Amino acid sequence: MYGDPALPPDFVALPYVNADAPTGGTLVDGNTGGFDSLNPFIVRGTPPWQLRFLTHESLMYRSQDEPFTVYGLLAESVETGPNRDWVEFTLRPEARFSDGAPVTAEDVIWSYETLGTEGNARYLGLWSSIDRIEKTGPRKVRLTFKTENRELALVAGLLPILKKAQWDDKDFTKSGLTDIPVGSAPYVVDSFVAGRNVVLKRDPNYWGKDLPVRRGTNNIDTIRIEFYGDQNVLFEAFKAGNISFIREFNAEKWARDYDFPAVQRGDVIQTEIPSQRPSGITGFVMNTRRAPFDDIRVRDALIHAFNFEYINETITGGRQPRITSYFSHSNLSMQPGPATGRVKELLEPFASELPEGALEGYALPEGDGSARNRKNLALAAAELEAAGWGVENGKRVNAAGQPLTFNILLRQGDQQNQSIIDIYLKALERLGIEARVTTVDDAQYTMRIQDFDFDMTDIRRQFSLSPGNEQRLYWGTETADEPGSRNLMGLKSAAADAMIDAMLQSRSAEDFTSAVRALDRVLTSGRYVIPIFLFDTGRIAHVKDLTWSGKIPIYGDGVNFMPETWYFAGK
């Protein structure tokens, strides 16, 4: 995106892999809930989330050690126009699907068109930005874009490529377990037991095993994904030796609960991998499509009522800091105090519609660490009064006498969020607010999220150091009411849209950083999410034979690092 790739044209392997890693072994992964589909690219159904990373690949490969660089995968070369208003990919002649059929320009064009019009909402943004897609040679595909968006030339190469012929006379959008999409990646679905497990095998004839971006990766022969009723059952299965690894997101549990016999014997290792990625946003999102969350004063009151300092001490022993903005823990985060320089220039045209604090400066309220949190509850009560929510007989009501009530949607077995909400409910009760919790299984949760059928629910959005077009999916006006959209809060903000545009049109790293910092101000000061813990360290407990190179890329905590670059020692 800016400057040259870090690796030379003749690089032989990615710098963070063991290029000579042994292959073999079986890795058992654990999911909660179940699955009723093996197509991870459509809106319907609940597939194992790992499939789209393991069974399909794209024209280009994103390095885990560079924020703005992609290297050739299915594509052997890439060319862009001087203004990056078009990009042309040339396919490798040796590229093959798992059934041996060559990957063709027709497959690429069909994949872009089909995913863009019939696939998951995550693909809508790219497709809506493409003016035309055409075959320009036997192995060449050119995409011409509608608008100035310099990142499109990179992200256009990251769409999964599917086999067109597989779907002749079939409904691509139909969910189920009958049609397993054919991909070109190192793994193929070998078998499954509906709702219980999926087994993937490493393709011995995988076409790309000798590519520089693939050397030392995808070393494990078999990956079995087992499904459990909830996170507690999954953890017990790991302790019993039925799962090869587990990611732990609670620092207190990491310190407290990993003293079981397998750890004491040295059969299970606890590995901590520091992350250099931005914090992203993790917490509880409010659905502004519904009252009373369409009123920023109510949202601000609910944020003040959330006693993070006390919750953090109770849940994690105070071991995890709080997310302070959407891009905190990085140089992309909004800076303290009033907006200045280029950030101010970007925001000022929208001054009349910006939330309070976007220009002036905003910081999350801090509690005193006590259980009562009196000061912040008093501020919350004042905000609610200003929004027209008074108190009658101990209940918070509006002028019409209607009580302030809402529902919090959680997944079954989500013990940590349930524990957090249990504490939060007590604070809401003191404000006269009646909040209820509904827990549903994974399938129901997915359906309700896709239909925006919630008042408040949990949210987690991870970002890279090169945020781009995916920001439209998360916060863009265009997708706010699109079923399956990832814009959970229903944000419709001309300012946010403009900051994303400025970010995508940036021609220097400095302009890019200013645009992201401006977007961060709009999102954070909009009070859409109650942020919780910052996951600044990846915590992976794993069987002792499962290991890695020890070289940490900037995204070393991500799923494209583990298990992709890990391996079984001695196998």
Side-chain angles (χ1 to χ4, degrees), residues 531-544:
I532 55 171
F533 313 118
L534 166 63
F535 299 102
D536 57 350
T537 300
R539 298 176 177 89
I540 303 174
H542 53 92
V543 295
K544 65 179 181 181

Side-chain angles (χ1 to χ4, degrees), residues 10 18-19 22 40 46 144 235 239 290 340 403 406 460 465 564:
D10 59 349
N18 176 357
T46 304
T144 303
F235 184 59
K239 289 168 61 177
R290 298 181 174 185
T340 60
F406 63 89
R460 188 174 188 203
L465 288 165
E564 185 180 68

